[in-house]
Amino acid sequence: MHQLEYKDFQISNDKMLGLYKAMLKPRMIEEKMLILLRQGKISKWFSGIGQEAISVGVTTALNDDEYILPMHRNLGVFTTRDIPLYRLFAQWQGKASGFTNGRDRSFHFGTQEYKIVGMISHLGPQLGVADGIALAHKLKEEKKLTSVFTGEGGTSEGDFHEALNIASVWDLPVLFCIENNGYGLSTPTNEQYRCKDLADRGAGYGMESHIIDGNNILEVYSKVSEIVEGMRENPRPVLVEFKTFRMRGHEEASGTKYVPQELMDEWQEKDPISNFEDYLSETGVLAKDLQQEIRESITREIDENLEKAFSESAIDSDETKELDNVFQYFNYQEVKPSGKTENVRYIDAISQSLRSSMEKHENLVLMGQDIADYGGVFKITEGFIDQFGKERIRNTPICESAIVGTAMGLSINGMKAMVEMQFSDFVSSGFNPIVNYLAKVNYRWDQNADVVIRMPCGGGVGAGPFHSQTNEAWFTKVPGLKVVYPAFPFDAKGLLNTAFNDPNPVLFFEHKALYRSIRQDVPVDYYTLEFGKASRLREGKDVSIITYGAGVHWALETLDEMDFHKADLIDLRSLQPLDMDSICESVTKTGKVIILTEDSLFGSLASEIAAIISENCFESLDAPVMRVGSLETPIPFAENLEKQYLPRKRFREKLQYLIEY
């Protein structure tokens, strides 16, 4: 006798049979995978046994062109979207027919073909990604929603709260699905949160919320269908808590010894498949011979697809291919500077680029704290809403992590995004999605992150430890990120234009002390500059000076003060990609080199450049490679302390030493 109540739902027999088959398939696949795991034929497995009704019910309620962002217990999402099983099996075996070319495992993948966006191990960021996908639908005036899954454990992450807040403030059609299965690995819910029901959290965000029996397929399908139909007509976020249970370990190696047996027994009686099977049999919808026929059909499908996946050879290792796939290919199109110029400040050049790029790319959205009516703390976007409107110039709540995730979601749904970090220091609150999502997504499953993150940075303005860092080295070492750091208005405008054309994630550093202190004649019209090309500002044969950002201006001023005209001065402009050819060419010519950075030295880009020079130009060197950077302390506030911290005076002393060496 079934333990769940089904009779109140008016669903046709054909639809009920379809739901039954859709639940049974992932269950039978899992049972097969557990055998293969014991045989050592797959490496790991995260079981969703007992939770199939949620995946299948939600996926069936959505339209096929609506994105779903599942977790690692949502095999039913993938099978209900009719992904060929051999591709799933190949994915789990790390073979080429999978979705990640062997670069990621299990359910850590996405596929535009089936409108599925898989999670990363950090869990929370995908919630913000769902916001971005839904925002794109809303901006394109499409009556579509996005569904995203998390477990009860993930609701403790900051990204959960940030994503719900953004979705609520912006009225985004996101169905937030919490699979409350009782345990986060081994930690029971009473050690994770203290509210009675997680659905109650919706009230705190002014959000509609529901509690649904996650083991009752008819309740899941019926109630979710009703909810999402309303969301399409009246775009808004909805939070749904599905009450269910995890019948196996967090992953198979962890087991379930920490779960009381009586609790396991209680939930075993609520198994979504055996209960529904009993109900269908009792009502005459599922005869014994039909049940056997369905199982045999699924078994054949599994066996045939497994054979196909197992017969596929192991993936080839190709170093060139691996390196080429870190970034999406970018066919740089040069637009040469031409026509009239005007003398503008660095900050004006940034603003001009933003405005012209917004005009050029109608799918570009700018996001940041106070950037709309107020124009940003530096007034760079002042007046933009008059031209582009608040839909594309968006004030954000103070939630850097979920906003970066939102930018990623916009890219997934065919748009471009810019995020302004109010100060580059604040990027630490959005660090995870940048280095773990944006940077890795193209390499993992061929999905680019068309995102520019603007980073007002740097010292010399008495702003203290939390508004003055130059933290480019946090990102130059992360494969998959491009990092640009111009020193002049001309370069800033051309390089930022290129950043918005590039389909890859770009961190664009803008030194605050240069915003209103540096002027230059800059073309009025649109133009671009190529990444990875340094600029030689002074020509000389005695010593090479390699720097970027404010360091360029310190070097120019120091050379003029010393009346020294024999230096090769290289302004890198682009840090990743790095113009190693220009660096080595200069050092080979002069035999002496000093690298100037505003960053502290240990672990800095200057250290990496020094290593490159030592490795590639050693025979040309006539002196030790010199590095100059800021003190190994946080950057202080008081003027005299800040002057001591910054490397300008030490640069002159070391340059003189190198000249005389």
Side-chain angles (χ1 to χ4, degrees), residues 65-68 115 130-147 172-173 235 409-410 413 415:
D65 61 354
E66 292 176 321
Y67 284 92
I68 303 180
K115 293 294 183 284
D131 283 348
I133 295 173
L135 174 59
H137 284 317
K138 189 172 181 180
L139 293 175
K140 291 186 267 188
E141 298 183 347
E142 298 171 337
K143 291 186 176 182
K144 298 178 183 178
L145 66 125
T146 302
S147 176
L172 299 179
L410 284 168
N413 205 357
M415 300 190 75

Side-chain angles (χ1 to χ4, degrees), residues 298-309:
I298 294 173
T299 298
R300 285 195 302 272
E301 183 183 3
I302 292 172
D303 291 343
E304 289 169 3
N305 282 271
L306 267 176
E307 184 179 354
K308 185 174 182 179

Side-chain angles (χ1 to χ4, degrees), residues 113-126:
E113 182 180 359
Y114 297 96
K115 293 294 183 284
I116 295 174
V117 179
M119 39 81 76
I120 68 171
S121 292
H122 300 72
L123 307 181
Q126 72 173 4

